[in-house]
């Protein structure tokens, strides 16, 4: 009911009040999870708004730098406090021993172990990119606090991205939008495809994935292999589905959000994979960490360090767990091997298969709750001699996955709504009806939140 | 682009037809297996109601069997073997409570053979730990399959999360709030008037100066499970049991509430007579309230001796074969009595 209501009100209101509606709707949307966390997003908005103004109004580089550091340290401080503090500090024996006798202090520390504001990693990175852009002169600061608050909290992409750049999103948000049939058509197409990918593909795969990763030693070895590949597709379908829904919802309001995926499992190298997977985050790390660190215009040793730090931090961005850190480190390792490997693979298909296998291998650490579980999955894969049970899966899930894969390859890098434009009405509607049918009858019956919501 | 009425009509028609076909395909092919898996009690009811005079609805107390039991029959099977001239079948699901029984009972067809219904009344289900249980979320999802709407609609409610979806941490917070602030009001001196203050003082010191922690933990469970007073105005279970009475009246079904046996002996020896007071007071309230509403009440609260409980480290209504038999006999006695009276009248 939320989206139709906001949509209806948006086009009923005069242009000058629409920002307020979107802001209220976005805060309502965010507050629905936990109203207390609204304070964090508002704090982050005000800090970055003020810092960017100060950076822009000063000609003194030291002053500008000071404001930039203030913004970065407050944003990263919030992120650290809510996402990493408990894991790295609060849960340690030393801190627990210190606070244990003091109930209030203990509750305070434990609060950060339980409370993770939804989407904090996404909007923090988005606001940081704004101050950095203003600092580097790539963007002019927004003079209107309300408009800036809309940029930070824009509901279609607030909780799981794409992490938009100020220059790309803000102008669109401020533009006078008219009710447009083409936008509606594109928006609905993207949302339909998004729901199909999420509910029919991702949610149905979750049963296999959960069964394998929860008890990896229980099943016959080949089920562990199926489980690992299933997770590769589950996480793709889940996150890609979300991105499509976000793009579709924004498109209804005339806003184009960036593409976050471009057939990542057809990548022929790890370098290529990161150009196609979670594009908005990869670009963020490239522009605001890798390049400022010197990029590739440094010595070989320094470059290896830069790559390692970027990948490890991108792993850590996902959550406070050593498994994410290791996942990032593993990608760094693959990247470096690829770079320094003396032989280049000539066959594109072989390179694609190797890349997919490497990425899937790394996903094991991403999905597992801890190292022990990840190693148990590995052990399960190679434990050919051991017994184990058969997993009771639904074959139609894999059939649908195959269809989805073939369809993705067929549509190539054309966005779904653009792809539909090429087809005649009968073919288009056959696809829509098929997707609707699958959503209604074949989707998973258990409501599953999007995986990236927890980041 | 020009949009004509014809355009809109054909597009709407395609959507409506897709939904209609989806519904037909789902109901014909997928509904039965999905219902068996996700809404098992309704699945059973659809068959049971045409072959049984009585249906016994309960939770895990009905199917839990001790590994040492020689008699593996469930309570409902024992009841069925002890009644004459009538047939009874049991339906059960773990952690179910009156709110979950309600939509199942709503689905009983008035043309069916069922004219009597035995519903287990678990005393603990009226307390905060069960009302604010972490498993409420998954129960509510299951409830979608019991709604009396079109099966495809029910399925989409479950898939899209269109149900009361309490978060586990919010539930826990509410429960802890009740433990701390819900005061127990009695007309005799009670040292501890909240669950929290009560749990704080119950101690089991050992001769070596340490504490018998398992015993203390168990005592805490007992206090949390039974130290409450049913507020008939606000308790959600009361509302659900009241609605069950109304539905059964409307469907002309004789209703029996089976108050399950609790481990009163252990409650007394671990915590004391004050806790037993609350158990009995709640039982008396339920007996009085529902007898007045025409429900036949079966009181098993104090009937099962402590040794007959299968699990000693938790508060459950899981009985061994002797415990199940005691409960079953009492249920059968009530059913036989009603049957005899009816036969006499006829």
């Amino acid at each position: 009911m939320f989206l139709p209501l906001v949509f209806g009100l948006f086009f009923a209101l005069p242009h000058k009040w629409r920002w307020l509606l979107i802001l209220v709707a976005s805060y309502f949307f965010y507050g629905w999870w936990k109203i207390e966390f609204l304070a964090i997003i508002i704090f982050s908005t005000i800090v970055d708004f003020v810092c960017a103004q100060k950076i822009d109004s000063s000609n003194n580089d030291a002053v500008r730098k000071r404001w930039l550091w203030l913004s970065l340290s407050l944003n990263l401080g919030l992120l650290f406090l809510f996402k990493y503090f408990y894991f790295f500090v609060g849960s340690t024996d030393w801190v627990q021993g210190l606070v244990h006798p003091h109930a209030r202090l203990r509750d305070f520390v434990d609060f950060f172990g339980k409370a993770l504001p939804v989407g904090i990693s996404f909007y923090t990175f988005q606001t940081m990119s704004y101050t950095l852009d203003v600092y580097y002169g790539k963007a002019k600061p927004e003079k209107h606090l309300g408009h800036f608050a809309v940029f930070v909290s824009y509901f279609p992409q607030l909780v799981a991205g794409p992490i938009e750049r100020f220059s790309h999103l803000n102008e669109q948000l401020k533009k006078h939008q008219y009710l447009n049939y083409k936008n509606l058509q594109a928006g609905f197409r993207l949302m339909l495809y998004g729901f199909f990918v999420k509910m029919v593909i991702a949610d149905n795969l979750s049963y296999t994935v959960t069964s394998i990763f929860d008890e990896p030693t229980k099943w016959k070895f080949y089920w562990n292999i199926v489980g690992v590949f299933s997770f590769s597709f589950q996480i793709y379908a889940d996150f890609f589905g979300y991105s499509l829904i976000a793009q579709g919802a924004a498109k209804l309001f005339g806003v184009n959000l960036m593409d976050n995926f471009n057939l990542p499992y057809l990548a022929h190298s790890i370098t290529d994979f990161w150009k196609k997977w979670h594009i908005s985050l990869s670009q963020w790390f490239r522009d605001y960490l890798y390049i400022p660190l010197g990029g590739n215009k440094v010595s070989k040793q320094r470059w290896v360090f830069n790559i390692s730090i970027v990948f490890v931090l991108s792993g850590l961005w996902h959550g406070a767990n050593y498994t994410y850190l290791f996942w990032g480190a593993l990608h760094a390792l693959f990247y470096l091997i690829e770079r320094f490997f003396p032989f280049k693979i000539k066959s594109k298909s072989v390179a694609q298969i190797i890349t997919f296998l490497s990425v899937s291998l790394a996903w094991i650490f991403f999905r597992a709750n801890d190292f022990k579980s990840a190693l148990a999955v590995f052990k399960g894969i190679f434990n050919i001699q051991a017994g184990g049970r058969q997993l009771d899966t639904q074959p139609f899930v894999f059939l649908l996955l195959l269809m989805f894969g073939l369809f993705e390859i067929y549509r190539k890098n054309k966005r779904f709504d653009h792809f539909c434009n090429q087809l005649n009405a009968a073919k288009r509607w056959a696809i829509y009806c098929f997707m609707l049918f699958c959503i209604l009858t074949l989707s998973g019956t258990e409501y599953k939140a999007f995986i990236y919501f927890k980041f | 682009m020009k949009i004509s009425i014809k355009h809109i009509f054909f597009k709407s028609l395609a959507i409506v037809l897709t939904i209609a076909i989806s519904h037909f395909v789902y109901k014909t092919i997928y509904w039965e297996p999905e219902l068996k898996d996700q809404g098992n009690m309704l699945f059973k009811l659809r068959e049971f109601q045409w072959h049984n005079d009585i249906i016994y609805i309960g939770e895990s107390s009905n199917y839990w069997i001790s590994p040492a039991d020689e008699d593996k029959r469930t309570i409902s099977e024992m009841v069925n073997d002890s009644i004459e001239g009538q047939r009874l079948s049991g339906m059960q699901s773990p952690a179910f409570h009156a709110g979950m029984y309600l939509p199942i009972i709503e689905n009983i067809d008035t043309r069916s053979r069922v004219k009597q219904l035995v519903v287990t009344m678990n005393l603990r289900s009226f307390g905060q730990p069960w009302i604010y249980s972490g498993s409420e979320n998954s129960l509510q999802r299951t409830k979608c399959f019991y709604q009396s709407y079109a099966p495809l609609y029910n399925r989409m409610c479950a898939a899209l999360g269109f149900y009361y979806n309490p978060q586990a941490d919010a539930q826990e917070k509410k429960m802890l709030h009740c433990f701390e602030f819900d005061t127990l009001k009695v007309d005799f001196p009670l040292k501890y008037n909240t669950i929290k203050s009560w749990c704080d003082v119950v101690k089991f010191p050992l001769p070596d100066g340490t504490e018998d922690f398992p015993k203390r933990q168990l005592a805490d469970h007992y206090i949390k499970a039974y130290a409450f007073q049913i507020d008939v105005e606000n308790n959600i279970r009361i509302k659900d049991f009241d609605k069950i009475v109304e539905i059964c009246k409307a469907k002309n079904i004789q209703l029996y509430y089976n108050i399950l046996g609790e481990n009163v002996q252990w409650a007394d020896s671990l915590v004391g007579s004050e806790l037993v007071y609350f158990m009995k007071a709640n039982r008396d309230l339920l007996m009085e309230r529902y007898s007045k509403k025409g429900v036949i009440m079966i009181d098993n609260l104090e009937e099962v001796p402590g040794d007959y409980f299968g699990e000693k480290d938790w508060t459950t209504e899981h009985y061994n074969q002797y415990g199940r038999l005691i409960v079953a006999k009492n249920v059968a006695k009530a059913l036989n009595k009603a049957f005899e009276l009816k036969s006499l009248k006829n």
Side-chain angles (χ1 to χ4, degrees), chain B residues 28-39:
Chain B
T28 318
I29 303 171
Y30 302 115
W31 185 46
E32 290 273 333
E34 205 156 86
L35 197 63
K36 192 176 178 183
D37 188 38
Q38 314 265 355

PDB file of all heavy atoms in Angstrom, chain B residues 28-39:
ATOM      1  N   THR B  28      -5.409 -27.035  -8.152  1.00  0.00           N
ATOM      2  CA  THR B  28      -5.480 -28.395  -8.670  1.00  0.00           C
ATOM      3  C   THR B  28      -4.201 -29.187  -8.389  1.00  0.00           C
ATOM      4  O   THR B  28      -4.254 -30.358  -8.053  1.00  0.00           O
ATOM      5  CB  THR B  28      -5.716 -28.361 -10.208  1.00  0.00           C
ATOM      6  OG1 THR B  28      -6.672 -27.355 -10.477  1.00  0.00           O
ATOM      7  CG2 THR B  28      -6.176 -29.677 -10.750  1.00  0.00           C
ATOM      8  N   ILE B  29      -3.059 -28.546  -8.558  1.00  0.00           N
ATOM      9  CA  ILE B  29      -1.803 -29.304  -8.489  1.00  0.00           C
ATOM     10  C   ILE B  29      -1.040 -29.107  -7.176  1.00  0.00           C
ATOM     11  O   ILE B  29      -0.592 -30.050  -6.555  1.00  0.00           O
ATOM     12  CB  ILE B  29      -0.881 -28.931  -9.679  1.00  0.00           C
ATOM     13  CG1 ILE B  29      -1.612 -29.176 -11.002  1.00  0.00           C
ATOM     14  CG2 ILE B  29       0.427 -29.722  -9.643  1.00  0.00           C
ATOM     15  CD1 ILE B  29      -0.895 -28.649 -12.227  1.00  0.00           C
ATOM     16  N   TYR B  30      -0.871 -27.872  -6.768  1.00  0.00           N
ATOM     17  CA  TYR B  30       0.085 -27.599  -5.686  1.00  0.00           C
ATOM     18  C   TYR B  30      -0.524 -27.467  -4.289  1.00  0.00           C
ATOM     19  O   TYR B  30       0.167 -27.597  -3.296  1.00  0.00           O
ATOM     20  CB  TYR B  30       0.871 -26.315  -5.990  1.00  0.00           C
ATOM     21  CG  TYR B  30       1.620 -26.356  -7.285  1.00  0.00           C
ATOM     22  CD1 TYR B  30       1.281 -25.511  -8.330  1.00  0.00           C
ATOM     23  CD2 TYR B  30       2.672 -27.250  -7.475  1.00  0.00           C
ATOM     24  CE1 TYR B  30       1.963 -25.553  -9.530  1.00  0.00           C
ATOM     25  CE2 TYR B  30       3.359 -27.295  -8.672  1.00  0.00           C
ATOM     26  CZ  TYR B  30       2.997 -26.442  -9.700  1.00  0.00           C
ATOM     27  OH  TYR B  30       3.667 -26.483 -10.881  1.00  0.00           O
ATOM     28  N   TRP B  31      -1.802 -27.152  -4.238  1.00  0.00           N
ATOM     29  CA  TRP B  31      -2.387 -26.795  -2.935  1.00  0.00           C
ATOM     30  C   TRP B  31      -2.308 -27.935  -1.920  1.00  0.00           C
ATOM     31  O   TRP B  31      -1.853 -27.757  -0.799  1.00  0.00           O
ATOM     32  CB  TRP B  31      -3.832 -26.312  -3.118  1.00  0.00           C
ATOM     33  CG  TRP B  31      -4.442 -25.810  -1.849  1.00  0.00           C
ATOM     34  CD1 TRP B  31      -3.854 -24.961  -0.958  1.00  0.00           C
ATOM     35  CD2 TRP B  31      -5.719 -26.121  -1.314  1.00  0.00           C
ATOM     36  NE1 TRP B  31      -4.699 -24.704   0.086  1.00  0.00           N
ATOM     37  CE2 TRP B  31      -5.865 -25.412  -0.103  1.00  0.00           C
ATOM     38  CE3 TRP B  31      -6.769 -26.911  -1.750  1.00  0.00           C
ATOM     39  CZ2 TRP B  31      -7.003 -25.479   0.669  1.00  0.00           C
ATOM     40  CZ3 TRP B  31      -7.920 -26.972  -0.975  1.00  0.00           C
ATOM     41  CH2 TRP B  31      -8.029 -26.270   0.225  1.00  0.00           C
ATOM     42  N   GLU B  32      -2.761 -29.124  -2.342  1.00  0.00           N
ATOM     43  CA  GLU B  32      -2.802 -30.268  -1.413  1.00  0.00           C
ATOM     44  C   GLU B  32      -1.421 -30.549  -0.806  1.00  0.00           C
ATOM     45  O   GLU B  32      -1.297 -30.576   0.421  1.00  0.00           O
ATOM     46  CB  GLU B  32      -3.338 -31.511  -2.137  1.00  0.00           C
ATOM     47  CG  GLU B  32      -4.802 -31.429  -2.482  1.00  0.00           C
ATOM     48  CD  GLU B  32      -5.700 -31.901  -1.354  1.00  0.00           C
ATOM     49  OE1 GLU B  32      -5.247 -32.722  -0.547  1.00  0.00           O
ATOM     50  OE2 GLU B  32      -6.857 -31.435  -1.293  1.00  0.00           O
ATOM     51  N   PRO B  33      -0.387 -30.758  -1.648  1.00  0.00           N
ATOM     52  CA  PRO B  33       0.928 -31.042  -1.037  1.00  0.00           C
ATOM     53  C   PRO B  33       1.447 -29.886  -0.184  1.00  0.00           C
ATOM     54  O   PRO B  33       2.076 -30.109   0.846  1.00  0.00           O
ATOM     55  CB  PRO B  33       1.851 -31.283  -2.229  1.00  0.00           C
ATOM     56  CG  PRO B  33       1.071 -31.065  -3.447  1.00  0.00           C
ATOM     57  CD  PRO B  33      -0.355 -30.891  -3.097  1.00  0.00           C
ATOM     58  N   GLU B  34       1.139 -28.658  -0.606  1.00  0.00           N
ATOM     59  CA  GLU B  34       1.624 -27.503   0.163  1.00  0.00           C
ATOM     60  C   GLU B  34       0.905 -27.414   1.511  1.00  0.00           C
ATOM     61  O   GLU B  34       1.511 -27.107   2.538  1.00  0.00           O
ATOM     62  CB  GLU B  34       1.422 -26.224  -0.640  1.00  0.00           C
ATOM     63  CG  GLU B  34       2.395 -25.129  -0.237  1.00  0.00           C
ATOM     64  CD  GLU B  34       2.623 -24.126  -1.338  1.00  0.00           C
ATOM     65  OE1 GLU B  34       1.835 -23.164  -1.446  1.00  0.00           O
ATOM     66  OE2 GLU B  34       3.573 -24.303  -2.110  1.00  0.00           O
ATOM     67  N   LEU B  35      -0.393 -27.718   1.488  1.00  0.00           N
ATOM     68  CA  LEU B  35      -1.179 -27.686   2.723  1.00  0.00           C
ATOM     69  C   LEU B  35      -0.705 -28.781   3.692  1.00  0.00           C
ATOM     70  O   LEU B  35      -0.583 -28.552   4.892  1.00  0.00           O
ATOM     71  CB  LEU B  35      -2.659 -27.880   2.394  1.00  0.00           C
ATOM     72  CG  LEU B  35      -3.647 -27.477   3.475  1.00  0.00           C
ATOM     73  CD1 LEU B  35      -3.546 -25.997   3.765  1.00  0.00           C
ATOM     74  CD2 LEU B  35      -5.072 -27.816   3.057  1.00  0.00           C
ATOM     75  N   LYS B  36      -0.392 -29.925   3.131  1.00  0.00           N
ATOM     76  CA  LYS B  36       0.090 -31.044   3.952  1.00  0.00           C
ATOM     77  C   LYS B  36       1.381 -30.640   4.662  1.00  0.00           C
ATOM     78  O   LYS B  36       1.608 -30.975   5.824  1.00  0.00           O
ATOM     79  CB  LYS B  36       0.333 -32.252   3.046  1.00  0.00           C
ATOM     80  CG  LYS B  36       0.553 -33.534   3.801  1.00  0.00           C
ATOM     81  CD  LYS B  36       0.690 -34.690   2.840  1.00  0.00           C
ATOM     82  CE  LYS B  36       0.966 -35.977   3.588  1.00  0.00           C
ATOM     83  NZ  LYS B  36       1.182 -37.092   2.694  1.00  0.00           N
ATOM     84  N   ASP B  37       2.199 -29.908   3.939  1.00  0.00           N
ATOM     85  CA  ASP B  37       3.494 -29.505   4.469  1.00  0.00           C
ATOM     86  C   ASP B  37       3.402 -28.280   5.385  1.00  0.00           C
ATOM     87  O   ASP B  37       4.026 -28.230   6.445  1.00  0.00           O
ATOM     88  CB  ASP B  37       4.398 -29.206   3.247  1.00  0.00           C
ATOM     89  CG  ASP B  37       5.825 -28.955   3.665  1.00  0.00           C
ATOM     90  OD1 ASP B  37       6.283 -29.641   4.575  1.00  0.00           O
ATOM     91  OD2 ASP B  37       6.469 -28.062   3.074  1.00  0.00           O
ATOM     92  N   GLN B  38       2.611 -27.296   4.989  1.00  0.00           N
ATOM     93  CA  GLN B  38       2.623 -26.013   5.694  1.00  0.00           C
ATOM     94  C   GLN B  38       1.442 -25.820   6.646  1.00  0.00           C
ATOM     95  O   GLN B  38       1.557 -25.094   7.618  1.00  0.00           O
ATOM     96  CB  GLN B  38       2.619 -24.854   4.680  1.00  0.00           C
ATOM     97  CG  GLN B  38       3.592 -25.015   3.547  1.00  0.00           C
ATOM     98  CD  GLN B  38       4.902 -24.307   3.819  1.00  0.00           C
ATOM     99  OE1 GLN B  38       5.055 -23.624   4.821  1.00  0.00           O
ATOM    100  NE2 GLN B  38       5.855 -24.461   2.938  1.00  0.00           N
ATOM    101  N   GLY B  39       0.308 -26.441   6.297  1.00  0.00           N
ATOM    102  CA  GLY B  39      -0.879 -26.255   7.146  1.00  0.00           C
ATOM    103  C   GLY B  39      -1.486 -27.601   7.456  1.00  0.00           C
ATOM    104  O   GLY B  39      -2.647 -27.884   7.118  1.00  0.00           O
TER     105      GLY B  39
END
